[in-house]
Amino acid sequence: MPSPSHAVSVLRVAVAAPLGELLDYLPPPGGTVPPGTRVLVPLGRARRVGMVVSAALETTVPTERLKPIAAVIDPAPLLTQADLDFLLWATDYYRADPGEALFGALPVRLRQARALLDERPLGWRAAADVATAADALHRAPRQRELLALLAATPQGLTDAELHARVGNCDGPLRALAARGLIARCRLHAAPLDPVPAPARDAPPPLNEHQAAAVAAVAAGTGFGCFLLDGVTGSGKTEVYLALIERALAAGRQVLVLVPEIGLTPQLQARFARRVPAAMVVLHSALADTERERAWRAAATGAARLLLGTRSAVFTPLPELGLVIVDEEHDLSLKQQEGFRYSARDLAVRRAQQARCPIVLGSATPALETLHNARLGRYRQLCLPERAGGAADPDILVADIRAQPLETGLSHALLTRMDQVLDAGNQVLLFLNRRGFSPVLTCHDCGWISECTRCDARLTVHRGRARLVCHHCGLEQAQPVQCPDCGSPDLRPLGQGTERVEDTLRQRFPGLPLARIDRDSTRRRGELERLLACAQRGEHRILLGTQMLAKGHHLPGVTLVGILDLDHGLYGSDFRATERMAQLLIQVAGRAGRAERAGTVLLQTRHPRHPLLALLLREGYGAFATAALRERLEAGLPPFSHQAMLRADSPEEQAALDFLTEVLAAARPLAPPELEFWGPAPAQMERRAGRIRAQLLLQAPSRALLQRVLALLLPRLRALRRPTQLRWSIDVDPQESL
Ligand code: ADP
Ligand code: ZN
Ligand code: ZN
């Protein structure tokens, strides 16, 4: 039942707490506070940081229970009305807690009640004139000289400036300060130091497809969403750069989102070499102060180009004129924890709000993006050929059903490797499983290494002599005897990259080899180093996980061997084949990027899988058409819309019971077209000691799904639940497990 409303002027505040709604407060005694300003508010007995999002003239809170804002943190708003509108739209769409989501979108330092960094440099100003100080200083000529200099420079001088003019003068400065004749103070604002601009590379002349794509985007006015569908190496980045240059020349800011900056250091360097304007980068590896600086530079307009990972989509950019999302199909653009959102989808919304074009680029567009293009919502621009004349790689299939394998390597693959290595070229081997082997077993009693906290097996990491759970991080020493029967005959079963590396080193002794996975690149800068060596051709064999699949140019590679993608063919997630196809094409795209043609050899036990066969025969576009037809027949996204409710608890049954109650609350709110699947145990029911369950909602339209969620969420939040139970909502989930 709606509460009566009371006429009183209040401020709506997004409080950084899991509240699910905005709270109303009275303005502080001094007067009102503009939206976008951080404040401190009383909540229960504590004080919390919050952000004013709007003012209102009525509230449902009884007047006597209204409390005033306790303190104002920012002297001026941090966010504009447009920034707030976008953020609140996002929290509403994804059914997130507005306060948590809004503060999660700010740089870490600003999530707390801390003032913005003071960017003005420290320096000195005169506190007395030379005449009055003449007596005191008549035996101190250096001090007199310094005081005269500072007195003649009323805006003050920084330490660096003083050093430049008079040499080292720390002693005399201290003496002057001790006499109270000069004062330490903050001086004029420092200029932003964006990524420095080295010599610019000249762009190559665009080929006809690239030029047509640039022209199509440039011809539009206002919002427009373009899908740049270009095979790997077709010159998508050159199209981005040409569009960026135009937008910058028109005085606009540009936002470029990429899946993972750490994995593509080359891209960042290429942008820095080519973009003739102040550029900042934003990603999670930055220190907090660096992040805040970059964020501020974007918000004030000092930075003209922002290159960032998914959360950069929330950065204020007052003059935004172009958005680019590279590798738009990549799962890293989806936030999977806390405030769950799709940075790609939000980027489209953002461009719509800013009335500017957005370009989604990929060699393997997501099926939902292709669907949007086919419906005419997005305009598809194709780059069908590799730029610079490189040929497409041939993809061959090695049927390994009845074949003896040498640590996962077929005879066919090894023979090809010999040829390519003899010819002096590079080989890339792809296996998406790190560690030595995915399980350790006892040959005598059948014991297998299992995680005590998850429904999962412990991976053998032989280099470290440890068993590791890849799901919860549990680690233990690798046993020398079976924990059950005491037998010493323990055997690793199956292979990960570490084991394949061992085999390769034995078979190709002395040949330089690099293994590139999360274990071998833990040290900062190691990935860059390995990739740079690989590019120079120093390693003859590259062996890696999906870290190697992303966007790297490896011009000397003429053979790509894909050891195992079969789990993607019959995975339990309906998106498994889509992901398998994307990975296959992305890995294949590393081969033969320069003048040398490349070959890809795929090992599989399912050479006749219809979608795989289609992909290999006719390419990703044909695969996508067929996969979309299957989705249509099954009524799955993008032909329907989903939201996933997940719950977990250390107690058996608690998560399922909670979701059963949610379902009971939800049914009366939903028309029959809305389907509920579950509640059911999660695919991996126990993870990190918690028992997990899920309930899927599926609707024929986004609008219907949103309507039901809007009714359901307040009721769900009001349900009683055990203190240990956690729940979350994921709108447009990318993993339905
Ligand atoms: P993508 O982003 O589609 O993978 P890139 O833009 O990185 O492709 O281009 C692949 C390679 O082709 C790069 O080495 C790039 O310098 C080169 N290239 C791109 N466009 C052209 C062009 N028009 N003429 C010559 N070389 C080009
Ligand atoms: Zn045993
Ligand atoms: Zn575990």
Side-chain angles (χ1 to χ4, degrees):
M1 192 177 69
S3 325
S5 69
H6 310 269
V8 51
S9 117
V10 293
L11 295 173
R12 301 244 138 96
V13 178
V15 181
L19 293 167
E21 58 182 358
L22 302 171
L23 299 185
D24 290 351
Y25 287 91
L26 294 169
T32 193
V33 184
T37 310
R38 287 177 305 154
V39 291
L40 281 176
V41 293
L43 183 72
R45 284 205 226 134
R47 272 187 176 192
R48 293 289 185 119
V49 57
M51 181 168 290
V52 176
V53 302
S54 60
L57 293 172
E58 54 174 21
T59 173
T60 53
V61 182
T63 322
E64 65 280 6
R65 290 187 46 205
L66 278 173
K67 293 182 188 162
I69 281 171
V72 180
I73 300 168
D74 302 308
L78 277 187
L79 300 176
T80 63
Q81 190 60 50
D83 300 330
L84 285 170
D85 289 348
F86 174 66
L87 278 159
L88 292 175
W89 185 90
T91 60
D92 196 47
Y93 181 83
Y94 290 106
R95 303 288 149 195
D97 290 319
E100 284 198 322
L102 213 143
F103 278 87
L106 293 178
V108 175
R109 286 187 75 259
L110 302 181
R111 293 177 197 170
Q112 302 138 11
R114 295 163 81 175
L116 275 175
L117 282 172
D118 197 335
E119 295 291 356
R120 296 166 304 159
L122 279 169
W124 299 97
R125 279 200 193 112
D129 59 46
V130 190
T132 17
D135 277 353
L137 296 184
H138 89 115
R139 294 231 210 133
R142 281 282 277 166
Q143 291 183 41
R144 215 164 50 228
E145 182 199 354
L146 279 167
L147 182 59
L149 178 58
L150 285 168
T153 322
Q155 74 273 25
L157 289 167
T158 64
D159 300 63
E161 287 165 339
L162 282 164
H163 281 219
R165 298 229 197 149
V166 300
N168 187 359
C169 52
D170 292 344
L173 283 172
R174 270 200 301 277
L176 280 169
R179 291 182 156 154
L181 297 174
I182 62 172
R184 191 94 175 125
C185 46
R186 295 251 173 213
L187 305 181
H188 53 88
L192 166 82
D193 55 335
V195 176
R200 309 271 174 223
D201 286 358
L206 298 181
N207 64 35
E208 91 190 84
H209 299 293
Q210 289 171 316
V214 171
V217 180
T221 51
F223 170 73
C225 185
F226 299 86
L227 164 59
L228 184 62
D229 181 354
V231 299
T232 45
S234 60
K236 293 184 290 297
T237 312
E238 289 300 331
V239 172
Y240 304 154
L241 286 164
L243 289 169
I244 290 169
E245 202 161 319
R246 293 180 60 100
L248 293 174
R252 311 293 294 271
Q253 286 176 295
V254 178
L255 170 64
V256 180
L257 294 179
V258 295
E260 284 160 279
I261 284 183
L263 295 184
T264 49
Q266 300 161 340
L267 185 73
Q268 189 182 336
R270 186 161 163 199
F271 272 64
R273 280 198 310 275
R274 290 279 299 277
V275 171
M279 165 173 137
V280 288
V281 291
L282 260 182
H283 54 87
S284 57
L286 293 181
D288 292 349
T289 50
E290 290 177 287
R291 251 171 188 287
E292 183 180 324
R293 282 210 180 91
W295 189 90
R296 281 288 291 170
T300 59
R304 309 308 299 171
L305 184 138
L306 171 61
L307 174 65
T309 46
R310 60 178 178 251
S311 65
V313 74
F314 297 114
T315 314
L317 291 155
E319 294 164 307
L320 184 61
L322 173 68
V323 182
I324 286 164
V325 182
D326 190 29
E327 306 293 357
E328 64 83 33
H329 65 279
D330 198 297
L331 201 52
S332 314
L333 290 165
K334 173 76 165 60
Q335 169 72 32
Q336 308 273 36
E337 274 164 27
F339 172 25
R340 292 160 171 82
Y341 60 87
S342 155
R344 176 198 58 214
D345 295 352
L346 281 180
V348 175
R349 173 72 197 176
R350 181 103 199 246
Q352 211 167 25
Q353 187 196 40
R355 300 196 185 84
C356 74
I358 174 167
V359 179
L360 308 178
S362 177
T364 52
L367 292 186
E368 59 248 39
T369 303
L370 279 172
H371 178 61
N372 278 324
R374 287 168 191 185
L375 288 180
R377 291 189 193 132
Y378 298 172
R379 172 133 177 238
Q380 191 164 355
L381 308 168
C382 293
L383 304 181
E385 292 156 16
R386 290 187 161 197
D392 286 339
D394 283 330
I395 304 186
L396 309 175
V397 174
D399 180 353
I400 53 169
R401 270 173 299 186
Q403 288 225 3
L405 297 183
E406 193 176 330
T407 319
L409 304 165
S410 62
H411 181 68
L413 179 56
L414 287 167
T415 314
R416 290 229 165 225
M417 284 180 73
D418 287 333
Q419 290 166 1
V420 165
L421 293 169
D422 284 346
N425 293 323
Q426 283 175 300
V427 175
L428 185 157
L429 296 180
F430 176 81
L431 175 62
N432 215 8
R433 198 185 298 127
R434 63 196 174 88
F436 187 81
S437 73
V439 65
L440 186 69
T441 62
C442 170
H443 193 61
D444 286 330
C445 78
W447 170 87
I448 56 174
S449 56
E450 284 182 320
C451 180
T452 50
R453 310 171 66 215
C454 308
D455 294 329
R457 286 150 179 204
L458 296 175
T459 301
V460 182
H461 283 254
R462 211 173 60 178
R464 293 186 286 150
R466 294 184 84 70
L467 299 180
V468 181
C469 176
H470 286 183
H471 302 282
C472 72
L474 180 98
E475 279 198 26
Q476 60 192 58
Q478 185 175 339
V480 285
Q481 287 184 328
C482 174
D484 278 2
C485 75
S487 158
D489 193 2
L490 295 180
R491 301 185 184 183
L493 217 64
Q495 44 271 326
T497 47
E498 218 184 319
R499 190 171 201 175
V500 176
E501 178 187 0
D502 261 25
T503 305
L504 291 171
R505 287 200 191 280
Q506 282 163 28
R507 198 168 188 290
F508 303 98
L511 208 64
L513 175 152
R515 168 161 67 87
I516 299 184
D517 57 27
R518 261 206 283 150
D519 300 308
S520 71
T521 57
R522 256 177 232 286
R523 225 173 338 124
R524 216 186 146 109
E526 187 63 7
L527 176 67
E528 283 91 327
R529 196 186 67 77
L530 286 174
L531 285 174
C533 292
Q535 264 169 350
R536 287 195 301 268
E538 286 172 28
H539 301 115
R540 305 296 305 291
I541 303 179
L542 303 166
L543 164 67
T545 55
Q546 51 180 339
M547 286 182 103
L548 258 187
K550 307 213 174 189
H552 313 297
H553 290 270
L554 300 166
V557 170
T558 59
L559 173 64
V560 170
I562 300 175
L563 271 48
D564 180 12
L565 275 182
D566 283 348
H567 52 275
L569 291 174
Y570 295 98
S572 41
D573 188 327
F574 71 85
R575 288 188 174 84
T577 22
E578 176 185 357
R579 303 234 185 278
M580 183 277 306
Q582 288 164 346
L583 202 50
L584 177 78
I585 299 297
Q586 295 287 342
V587 180
R590 306 303 121 219
R593 287 174 66 99
E595 57 289 347
R596 287 172 275 203
T599 305
V600 179
L601 193 135
L602 170 72
Q603 301 188 152
T604 177
R605 293 193 161 76
H606 306 285
R608 273 179 248 245
H609 184 288
L611 283 177
L612 176 64
L614 186 63
L615 175 69
L616 298 178
R617 206 171 55 238
E618 291 176 41
Y620 187 79
F623 160 84
T625 301
L628 277 168
R629 203 176 311 119
E630 285 191 357
R631 298 268 185 96
L632 175 65
E633 280 157 16
L636 287 167
F639 300 95
S640 61
H641 301 272
Q642 298 182 334
M644 180 74 92
L645 278 161
R646 299 189 181 88
D648 60 62
S649 158
E651 290 159 63
E652 294 286 341
Q653 215 45 44
L656 269 178
D657 288 349
F658 175 70
L659 291 180
T660 307
E661 272 186 66
V662 173
L663 178 61
R667 276 215 194 279
L669 309 173
E673 314 88 271
L674 194 130
E675 294 172 53
F676 295 94
W677 295 6
Q683 165 87 353
M684 182 185 296
E685 189 175 12
R686 201 166 46 101
R687 180 171 175 161
R690 301 182 70 91
I691 318 292
R692 312 185 308 151
Q694 60 194 33
L695 171 63
L696 185 71
L697 282 66
Q698 181 172 300
S701 79
R702 237 181 249 290
L704 173 60
L705 181 66
Q706 286 287 336
R707 226 167 28 242
V708 172
L709 290 175
L711 294 171
L712 174 60
L713 267 282
R715 294 185 197 213
L716 187 157
R717 287 177 205 275
L719 286 178
R720 291 181 61 88
R721 56 177 185 270
T723 47
Q724 301 258 53
L725 184 128
R726 291 186 310 213
W727 66 274
S728 65
I729 172 125
D730 193 354
V731 178
D732 305 332
Q734 281 294 311
E735 288 174 312
S736 34
L737 300 179

